[in-house]
Amino acid sequence: MTTPAKVIAAARADLGMREDPSGSNVTPITKAFGKIPGYPSNGYGYPWCAAATSMWCKEAGLKANTDYPHTAGTLTQYSWARSNGRWFTTPKVGDLVLFTNNGSTSGIYHVELVEEVSASSITTIGGNTSGSAGNGIQGNGDGCYRKTIARSNSRICGYVRPRYAGSTNEPAKTWDGKSYPGHFVRYGDTGAEAKAVQQMLVKFGWKITVDGDFGEATHHAVKTFQKNHKLESDGVVGPDTWKALAAGPPKTTPPKATTAPQPVVKVPAASFTRVMKLGDEGQDVQAVRQKLIALGYSYLKPGLTWGPMMTVAVMDAQARKGVEVDGQVGPNTLKALGL
């Protein structure tokens, strides 16, 4: 019998899949789903987010158009859900989350599979997307990625719920704001869970801003806290770290941080005198990385070297800013990025 876990396993197997050639929309998923007349690349070059969720459901054993909508169209997915009583506004693991570009169902344009659900966010796996959604845009990417976004994101239109074995329509339990939320909280996360981590760190004496943004200062504080408490010092708040934080500082001594948080490194002014690309190093590359991180590409980390994921971020930003998508940073891209 098919469960959400089986569909999620099928999706996880495709993480890292990329279009070949880049920008063509041609992937193993479109080849498996089939040709659609009128599209480039012999009918395989169509937007493939809905085809991806369809193939994952099919591979897991769900019955097409009975248990889920087998289609390459997001609006068709919505219509199936409404017609079959499978349209919901509260997420559950295994749902298909539909995104809109105008706040209504008429603007539905992208879909992803819900992998995890917390009180404040959902973690998704999607095709034809990118590794970030900092500006709210979910679709029009080069591959299959995982991301975590706030449930309050204005682009979320609603959820299509396939018919799984033994499934119910009970909404996910609301997080109580104190207990471990059921998933890792880490660098780049935003929302109530990140804020709760910051509040617990403050009780231990850390001088960090409680703003719900799990950034560099919070990441450093967590790593040092873990080291001081003989936990794996990876900066990721899992059940053991959450338990230690929730216990609070010893009652007999005042809370005191053993190490001061490191300030965010400010990038020196860079002189942009070259076209930057994969493999380049230097202060100018660092400045572009910092700008991309500020724009929401949180899977990048500060550094002086241009690696493959930076090329992905640059191409995605170029597409969204309306400049030539070549994966290199020259005068036009610098201007579009505000540098």
Side-chain angles (χ1 to χ4, degrees):
M1 300 178 73
T2 299
T3 63
K6 291 183 179 180
V7 178
I8 290 169
R12 287 172 177 167
D14 284 339
L15 282 169
M17 178 185 292
R18 299 291 182 269
E19 296 173 0
D20 186 17
S22 179
S24 67
N25 280 333
V26 178
T27 64
I29 285 176
T30 60
K31 291 292 183 69
F33 187 89
K35 298 180 181 181
I36 299 180
Y39 280 95
S41 301
N42 199 28
Y44 292 115
Y46 49 85
W48 51 283
C49 60
T53 59
S54 293
M55 293 308 299
W56 297 333
C57 289
K58 180 181 179 180
E59 289 170 19
L62 290 176
K63 187 176 180 180
N65 299 320
T66 298
D67 297 329
Y68 74 96
H70 191 78
T71 177
T74 52
L75 286 172
T76 303
Q77 290 179 313
Y78 168 72
S79 297
W80 180 90
R82 291 305 300 247
S83 299
N84 288 271
R86 312 302 295 175
W87 179 248
F88 298 90
T89 57
T90 302
K92 292 187 70 175
V93 170
D95 283 354
L96 311 181
V97 54
L98 289 175
F99 296 91
T100 176
N101 59 18
N102 64 7
S104 71
T105 56
S106 66
I108 289 173
Y109 70 103
H110 183 64
V111 62
E112 297 186 7
L113 175 69
V114 177
E115 181 184 27
E116 295 180 4
V117 176
S118 75
S120 60
S121 65
I122 57 173
T123 299
T124 64
I125 299 175
N128 197 22
T129 185
S130 68
S132 174
N135 63 357
I137 297 174
Q138 302 296 325
N140 192 30
D142 72 329
C144 183
Y145 293 88
R146 172 189 284 120
K147 67 176 76 74
T148 299
I149 62 173
R151 284 170 54 171
S152 59
N153 189 304
S154 61
R155 294 264 180 168
I156 295 176
C157 187
Y159 303 88
V160 178
R161 187 158 302 158
R163 292 187 172 94
Y164 293 112
S167 65
T168 68
N169 293 332
E170 292 297 321
K173 291 183 179 179
T174 302
W175 180 53
D176 61 14
K178 297 180 181 179
S179 60
Y180 180 61
H183 63 87
F184 292 152
V185 185
R186 52 193 150 192
Y187 182 86
D189 287 352
T190 59
E193 293 143 356
K195 187 174 183 179
V197 170
Q198 293 169 332
Q199 290 170 333
M200 290 187 287
L201 286 167
V202 166
K203 290 181 179 180
F204 280 87
W206 290 95
K207 306 300 182 183
I208 58 175
T209 303
V210 179
D211 57 2
D213 186 350
F214 200 123
E216 290 287 350
T218 304
H219 181 70
H220 171 74
V222 169
K223 288 186 68 174
T224 305
F225 175 87
Q226 290 170 324
K227 183 177 180 180
N228 293 341
H229 287 77
K230 295 180 172 56
L231 299 165
E232 183 181 359
S233 183
D234 58 3
V236 176
V237 180
D240 292 338
T241 301
W242 190 284
K243 182 179 179 180
L245 284 167
K251 302 297 182 182
T252 56
T253 58
K256 183 179 180 181
T258 58
T259 306
Q262 294 178 345
V264 176
V265 177
K266 293 185 177 180
V267 180
S271 177
F272 302 111
T273 59
R274 59 173 174 166
V275 174
M276 290 167 278
K277 60 186 180 301
L278 179 64
D280 286 348
E281 296 183 349
Q283 294 292 339
D284 47 1
V285 171
Q286 185 179 31
V288 174
R289 287 180 72 90
Q290 291 285 59
K291 184 64 175 181
L292 289 167
I293 292 169
L295 290 173
Y297 297 90
S298 59
Y299 56 89
L300 297 177
K301 299 296 181 289
L304 296 169
T305 303
W306 184 313
M309 293 309 296
M310 185 167 171
T311 299
V312 172
V314 167
M315 293 179 69
D316 186 69
Q318 288 173 325
R320 296 174 183 179
K321 298 291 186 180
V323 298
E324 181 184 0
V325 180
D326 59 5
Q328 302 181 22
V329 174
N332 291 336
T333 300
L334 285 170
K335 182 177 179 182
L337 292 175
L339 290 171

